[in-house]
Each structure stands twice: as structure tokens, then as C-alpha cells.
RNA sequence: GCCUCAGUAGCUCAGCUGGUUAGAGCGGCGGACUGUUAAUCCGUAGGUCAUAGGUUCAAGUCCUAUCUGAGGCGCCA
């Protein structure tokens, strides 16, 4: 394959290349007037105009220049006579690398619904919307590593297969190589996992946190960034059975340090995209505006996408306690008018409608809620001292709530006191034998520490403005769907 | 898992209270067009109305079941 010049390289710095003979390769976005090809190679939002002379190009080649056909074109880069672009390539030769017969190819040069494109996951990345989303997705992933590396954290790989089912984050996927239609049985008739690969029941991980704590209590500051699996039968626009989660875990951090980290980290990620993917953001912003043009005003976003991102970066997140939240909600208009479907009562978890009120109506910016009732939170969260005006026991837990998405981060200061932890585990029916190593971390050289989990796709959703989480991961896994 | 809505041409949709041969735009195909920018213009072919039953003289339209999709809720990241 001869050398190609990437289209983004040409577009961002065309001046020194004018007059040069170049080869480009990419997918046809449009073929106008039998003469002008808009060519995109995925390197950016932009297209390079390739101009062909029908007297120079064989007719069978010309005929195959159709939507999303892959071509190679060689010619001279010149300043464009047309108004829409700075430069264009006058093609001496055009080669069809991969034709795309329009009579059979399902993609069309027009706006197609996200639902339809979801069924064409192998082609949807070629569209403006999805190529923008996936370039930004990469950008966020890169920024995650850059942020932690620049701040002295170590990237830690926690296991995908776990032998513990006490991680307390929902239903798990069983991992086994037993013959499930005829598994070996014990004398009592139970499935005999002694015969299984690991000689015990194992599952796909629902969180790397417990292992990350091991890292934090040795390396000080660590983070994980890997796939996470939940076998919940969740059918919503913000849940996946397989998703990516970022979990920093930091020794000597308390809940307040944890909140500072969460806020700073979110802002860094958003800033990185604002600074490096403005063309993609502008496209997505425009896309949403076009979509909302036909909607009633009250269903439209209060701010544009870029405006929202700037606003989040420029303003402090609101920080309140769970008890504050309950008081605010009980004094709110919708509560008094009986508009909430679920009651607000100290000790009950906040429902999505309550969180949405706090974030979208009351504060109109990200909100960090902390100090939740102990009874509704996981065993490893640190028990708070009793506080005045608070009716029950609380733990140092925190949720970061974003507009439109809800919970993006869930975290806590961890319980480092062995006796308190043991009591909590007993109360919540978590077996000590399974987590003996977790307890020994407290017994030997323990330290106060804290951390959180950030749902990567939810952050991608927020930054791209995509409404459905299935449209920010290349191959979504949801109940009843594992195609591609 | 629960609730609601939807499934008509390749795509997006129209088809009023059941009533002749099922419509449009875009896309495709054929043609015109060598400075276009969602190119334009002319012509043309596409449909077991999701599937299976049922009601009726008559069903795209009503009823039942199933499948698929979307939105909301719960679980959470």
C-alpha cells in the first residue's frame, strides 16, 4: 500500500502542501455532479473534496463511487475554486478499494434514526454522529490516564474474574466451564464447584474496588479502568450489562478529599474534550439543536451542549448532605403538590425523580450528596459519628449527580476500623471467611482511605449529549442483546 | 422485573370513526448535467401493512397471543 496522507493532516495545515502530489484513502460521503467526492477517512469530522474528471477516470470506476465506498485517490492538492473548502485534490487516478453496492448497502446519505443505526453497529461508526462520539470517547479515556499519571497515581489492573460474591453491587455473571446441561453434583445434589476450573464458584467482576484498596494501602494512590459486569435486568438508557468503570482509591483521603478529587477529575475530563475535540462537540451540539427544533420548549435542553459543559467546568459543584437533601425535597413545590411518585423520608433512598429535582430544578448544576443513611449503603462505607439534627446513623458515602444522567459517581470513605467493619459485615450478612484478606488489610498496617467509581459511559453520555448509553459504546451488551 | 407507546416500501412517516386498485418525502435504479456543497432536474421500480389466530359481508384499521423496538420506573456506574 503506498503512503497515504491523512485527511485531518491536510485540512489542519494545507498551505505547505498546496502543489504537492498526495494520496488519500477513505470512504465516500457524497458524490456531487459526477465530479466532486466528499471523502472522509475517520481522522476528523472534515471531508476532503476530491475532484475527478470523467474523461480521465474509467467509467466502471466512476460508477462504483457511491456512498461509503472505500477509495484511494492520487493527485495534486490545489486551492479550491469552490466556496466550501480551502483545498481540494485534483485526482489523476482513483482506485476502488471496497465498493459498497447501494442497492444492498443499508446506510444512506441522510439522517438515520439512532434505533436503526443501533442494529447496524458494524456500519454506524462511519456516520458523523458516531465517529464524533467515538473519537470523543477515546479522548476521555486518554484524559483519564493522563490525569492520574500527571497526579502521581498508578494504574492498577484488578481481576475480571472474581471468586468473591460479596462485592455488594448487584447480580453477577457466573464464570464456569462445567457442562451446564449436566454439571457434576455433590452427594446432596448441589452443583459441585470443586470440579470447576477454579474449584469454587466464580463470577465476572462488578467492581475492582476491594482489590484497588489493596493497591492504595501499598502504593498510596491507584486507579483502575476496566470492564465491569452487572447481570441486572436493567432496561434503561443509562445501564449496560458490560460497561467501563474508573475507580481511584487513595490512602489517607477522607470523604472531603474524595469529593475534591471527584469534582476536579470530572472537570478535567470535560476540559480536555472542550480543548481538543471542538469540531466534534460543535457537530453534536448542532445535532441536538436540530433534533430539538421540533420539540415543545419545555422538553428542550435549557442550555446547548457546549454551553452546558462550560458551565459545569466554570462552577463549583453543589455539596449537600443526604439530610439536607431530604429537607430541601420535603419543602419543595413538587413535594407539597404531591407531584413526586415516591415519598421522601429520612432513611429511604433518593429516587431518580428526587435527584433530578435537586440537579435540574433546585441547583441547576452537578450536585454531590454525602452522608447517606447507613442502612441503605454498602458494608465497606465508613460509619460517621452521630451528628446533631440527623435522625439516624450515616456513612461517609457520596454520589455525584449530573443533569440528564443522574448518578455518574458513587463513592465513599472506607471503613478502616476493624471492629466497626466486622460489626457492619455481620449486620449486613456479609461473610467474613470470604473477605478474610479485606479484613487483614485493616488488621495489619491499615489506614484511612477513600475512593469512588465513575461510570465511564455515563461520562461519555454527558459530554457528547447522547441520550442513550447504548450509543456511546461500540457494541452494547444489554438484556437480550449481545450481537456483534 | 413492572408500566406505557409503537411496528405500513431500503429509511422516516401519513393512512380520519373498518368500506374500491395502500400514499408521500428521502434513498435506489435509468437519463440529463464538468465548479458542486444535504447539488439540481426528468423518468422509474419497490409493500404477505411484524407474526399467528379471531370478530365481520368487509380488517393496515377492531380483539387475543407472541416477537421486536422505544420511552419511563426499579436495581446502579
Amino acid at each position: 500500500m503506498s503512503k497515504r496522507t491523512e485527511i485531518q493532516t491536510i485540512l489542519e495545515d494545507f498551505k505547505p502542501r498546496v502543489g504537492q502530489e498526495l494520496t488519500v484513502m477513505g470512504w465516500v460521503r457524497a458524490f456531487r455532479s459526477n465530479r466532486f467526492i466528499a471523502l472522509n477517512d475517520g481522522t476528523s469530522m472534515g471531508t476532503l473534496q476530491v475532484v475527478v474528471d470523467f474523461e480521465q477516470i474509467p467509467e466502471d470506476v466512476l460508477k462504483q463511487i457511491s456512498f461509503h465506498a472505500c477509495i484511494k485517490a492520487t493527485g495534486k492538492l490545489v486551492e479550491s475554486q469552490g466556496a466550501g473548502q480551502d483545498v481540494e485534490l485534483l485526482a489523476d487516478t482513483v482506485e476502488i478499494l471496497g465498493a459498497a453496492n447501494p442497492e444492498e448497502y443499508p446506510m444512506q446519505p441522510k439522517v438515520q434514526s439512532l434505533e436503526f443505526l443501533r442494529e447496524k453497529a458494524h456500519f454506524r461508526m462511519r456516520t458523523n454522529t458516531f465517529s464524533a462520539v467515538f473519537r470523543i470517547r477515546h479522548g476521555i479515556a486518554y484524559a483519564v490516564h493522563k490525569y492520574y499519571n500527571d497526579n502521581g497515581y498508578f494504574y492498577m489492573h484488578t481481576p475480571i474474574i472474581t471468586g468473591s460474591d460479596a462485592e455488594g453491587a448487584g447480580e453477577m455473571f457466573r464464570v464456569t466451564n462445567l457442562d451446564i446441561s449436566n454439571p457434576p453434583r455433590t452427594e446432596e445434589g448441589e452443583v459441585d464447584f470443586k470440579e470447576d476450573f477454579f474449584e469454587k464458584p466464580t463470577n465476572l467482576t462488578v467492581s475492582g474496588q476491594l482489590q484497588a484498596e489493596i493497591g492504595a494501602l501499598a502504593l498510596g494512590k491507584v486507579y483502575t479502568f476496566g470492564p465491569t459486569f452487572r447481570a441486572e435486568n436493567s432496561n434503561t438508557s443509562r445501564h449496560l450489562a458490560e460497561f467501563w468503570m474508573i475507580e481511584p482509591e487513595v490512602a489517607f483521603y477522607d470523604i472531603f478529599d474524595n469529593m475534591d478529587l471527584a469534582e476536579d477529575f470530572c472537570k478535567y475530563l470535560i476540559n480536555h474534550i472542550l480543548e481538543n475535540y471542538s469540531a466534534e462537540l460543535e457537530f453534536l451540539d448542532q445535532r441536538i439543536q436540530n433534533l430539538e427544533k421540533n420539540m415543545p420548549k419545555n422538553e428542550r435542553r435549557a442550555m446547548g451542549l457546549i454551553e452546558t459543559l462550560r458551565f459545569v467546568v466554570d462552577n463549583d459543584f453543589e455539596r449537600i448532605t443526604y439530610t439536607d437533601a431530604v429537607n430541601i425535597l420535603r419543602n419543595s413545590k413538587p413535594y407539597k403538590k404531591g407531584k413526586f411518585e415516591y415519598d421522601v423520608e429520612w432513611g429511604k433512598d433518593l429516587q431518580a425523580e428526587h435527584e433530578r429535582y435537586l440537579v435540574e430544578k433546585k441547583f441547576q448544576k452537578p450536585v454531590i450528596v454525602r452522608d447517606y443513611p447507613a442502612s441503605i449503603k454498602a458494608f465497606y462505607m465508613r460509619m460517621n459519628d452521630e451528628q446533631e439534627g440527623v435522625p439516624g446513623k450515616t456513612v461517609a458515602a457520596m454520589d455525584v449527580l449530573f443533569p440528564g444522567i443522574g448518578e455518574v459517581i458513587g463513592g465513599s470513605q472506607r471503613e478502616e476500623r476493624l471492629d466497626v467493619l466486622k460489626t457492619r459485615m455481620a449486620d449486613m450478612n456479609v461473610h467474613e471467611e470470604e473477605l478474610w484478606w479485606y479484613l487483614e488489610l485493616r488488621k495489619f498496617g491499615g489506614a484511612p482511605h477513600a475512593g469512588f467509581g465513575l461510570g465511564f459511559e455515563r461520562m461519555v453520555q454527558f459530554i457528547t449529549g447522547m441520550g442513550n448509553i447504548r450509543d456511546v459504546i461500540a457494541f452494547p451488551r444489554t438484556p437480550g442483546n449481545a450481537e456483534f
Side-chain angles (χ1 to χ4, degrees):
Chain A
M1 201 108 261
S2 67
K3 248 194 197 163
R4 70 150 169 155
T5 307
E6 296 188 355
I7 289 173
Q8 170 60 4
T9 310
I10 297 172
L11 296 179
E12 77 183 345
D13 193 17
F14 59 87
K15 282 223 169 91
R17 292 186 173 78
V18 168
Q20 284 181 8
E21 180 94 350
L22 298 176
T23 295
V24 293
M25 301 182 204
W27 293 268
V28 174
R29 285 291 178 78
F31 187 29
R32 287 184 291 267
S33 198
N34 226 8
R35 186 167 168 78
F36 304 100
I37 301 168
L39 197 69
N40 178 276
D41 65 358
T43 47
S44 73
M45 295 302 302
T47 55
L48 178 71
Q49 175 150 289
V50 175
V51 184
V52 296
D53 188 331
F54 74 102
E55 286 174 343
Q56 273 186 45
I57 309 294
E59 200 177 324
D60 64 309
V61 171
L62 220 49
K63 272 202 137 166
Q64 291 184 82
I65 301 174
S66 64
F67 187 61
H68 282 181
C70 189
I71 66 165
K72 169 182 170 183
T74 301
K76 198 184 192 186
L77 192 76
V78 299
E79 289 194 37
S80 178
Q81 299 169 35
Q85 55 284 317
D86 295 314
V87 286
E88 61 195 20
L89 190 82
L90 298 179
D92 295 322
T93 62
V94 174
E95 189 184 325
I96 306 293
L97 298 178
N101 181 357
E103 286 185 72
E104 293 171 47
Y105 186 55
M107 305 293 279
Q108 295 176 4
K110 63 169 191 171
V111 176
Q112 292 191 289
S113 71
L114 296 175
E115 292 82 1
F116 174 75
L117 294 173
R118 230 168 267 157
E119 291 170 10
K120 310 279 176 240
H122 55 320
F123 293 136
R124 67 177 181 170
M125 278 180 144
R126 295 176 184 175
T127 65
N128 276 328
T129 299
F130 284 92
S131 63
V133 166
F134 288 109
R135 276 191 297 272
I136 288 177
R137 184 182 165 110
H138 156 80
I140 302 170
Y142 170 76
V144 167
H145 290 299
K146 181 159 169 53
Y147 178 85
Y148 286 120
N149 183 68
D150 290 355
N151 285 288
Y153 286 68
F154 298 103
Y155 179 30
M156 181 175 170
H157 294 120
T158 51
I160 306 295
I161 299 172
T162 172
S164 152
D165 68 353
E167 288 164 11
E171 292 295 310
M172 304 177 94
F173 287 102
R174 173 58 46 84
V175 174
T176 182
N177 65 354
L178 293 178
D179 176 1
I180 57 164
S181 60
N182 185 27
R185 305 233 172 229
T186 61
E187 280 175 18
E188 292 78 36
E190 306 272 302
V191 173
D192 187 5
F193 286 101
K194 281 256 161 40
E195 298 286 316
D196 204 351
F197 188 88
F198 295 107
E199 300 179 10
K200 64 185 283 196
T202 50
N203 298 295
L204 292 179
T205 183
V206 292
S207 164
Q209 178 205 315
L210 301 189
Q211 291 91 345
E213 288 186 45
I214 295 174
L217 295 179
L219 305 180
K221 296 192 280 191
V222 299
Y223 72 104
T224 75
F225 184 4
T228 311
F229 307 88
R230 304 271 166 96
E232 301 287 347
N233 192 5
S234 298
N235 293 288
T236 79
S237 57
R238 49 187 194 286
H239 287 87
L240 292 165
E242 176 182 285
F243 63 100
W244 290 67
M245 189 156 62
I246 296 141
E247 295 178 288
E249 194 68 37
V250 193
F252 320 117
Y253 261 28
D254 66 14
I255 188 72
F256 296 98
D257 301 318
N258 208 25
M259 290 193 290
D260 290 343
L261 173 65
E263 180 168 344
D264 190 54
F265 178 49
C266 287
K267 287 178 170 174
Y268 180 88
L269 297 181
I270 296 167
N271 249 328
H272 179 82
I273 300 306
L274 280 169
E275 282 168 17
N276 294 283
Y277 292 86
S278 56
E280 279 78 6
L281 284 179
E282 271 159 35
F283 176 84
L284 293 169
D285 199 343
Q286 197 59 50
R287 181 185 164 276
I288 293 165
Q289 285 180 37
N290 290 339
L291 222 66
E292 292 189 343
K293 241 189 283 183
N294 304 317
M295 286 186 183
K297 255 199 178 137
N298 58 345
E299 285 176 34
R300 294 184 208 166
R301 305 168 62 114
M303 285 187 251
L305 176 63
I306 295 173
E307 202 184 349
T308 304
L309 299 180
R310 290 237 162 82
F311 183 84
V312 167
V313 164
D314 291 340
N315 288 279
D316 290 340
F317 292 8
E318 192 69 34
R319 299 186 184 194
I320 59 174
T321 66
Y322 166 88
T323 306
D324 295 337
V326 168
N327 291 334
I328 290 166
L329 287 163
R330 289 179 72 96
N331 285 312
S332 71
K333 258 191 205 159
Y335 181 84
K336 288 178 175 167
K337 286 187 177 170
K339 290 274 169 66
F340 288 137
E341 192 184 336
Y342 293 87
D343 194 20
V344 181
E345 197 185 331
W346 202 99
K348 284 187 179 170
D349 210 354
L350 300 178
Q351 300 298 317
E353 58 179 354
H354 307 139
E355 295 180 348
R356 206 171 314 121
Y357 172 82
L358 293 171
V359 173
E360 289 162 24
K361 292 268 163 17
K362 175 76 183 173
F363 297 113
Q364 300 187 335
K365 56 175 163 173
V367 177
I368 308 180
V369 183
R370 69 170 190 279
D371 296 344
Y372 282 84
S375 57
I376 57 170
K377 289 290 181 184
F379 71 91
Y380 49 74
M381 298 183 174
R382 192 179 194 278
M383 194 70 74
N384 285 324
D385 296 337
E386 303 224 350
Q387 292 159 302
E388 219 170 299
V390 177
K393 288 193 168 180
T394 62
V395 288
M398 58 173 231
D399 281 358
V400 180
L401 311 174
F402 267 39
I405 316 266
E407 187 179 346
V408 168
I409 286 178
S412 68
Q413 185 173 340
R414 319 305 189 188
E415 184 56 75
E416 84 281 12
R417 298 161 297 187
L418 184 60
D419 53 332
V420 182
L421 182 61
K422 278 183 162 178
T423 309
R424 274 286 277 170
M425 286 170 73
D427 288 350
M428 304 194 88
N429 222 1
V430 178
H431 302 297
E432 287 189 19
E433 318 82 74
E434 282 196 52
L435 290 173
W436 59 272
W437 50 270
Y438 192 72
L439 290 163
E440 287 200 353
L441 277 184
R442 276 71 184 165
K443 198 170 166 186
F444 305 108
H449 60 290
F452 61 78
L454 179 141
F456 182 62
E457 282 79 13
R458 288 189 182 172
M459 182 55 82
V460 181
Q461 256 191 294
F462 180 74
I463 293 177
T464 60
M466 297 299 282
N468 195 314
I469 200 164
R470 295 162 200 199
D471 297 329
V472 299
I473 187 165
F475 310 109
R477 267 77 180 106
T478 53
N481 204 331
E483 198 65 48
F484 302 100

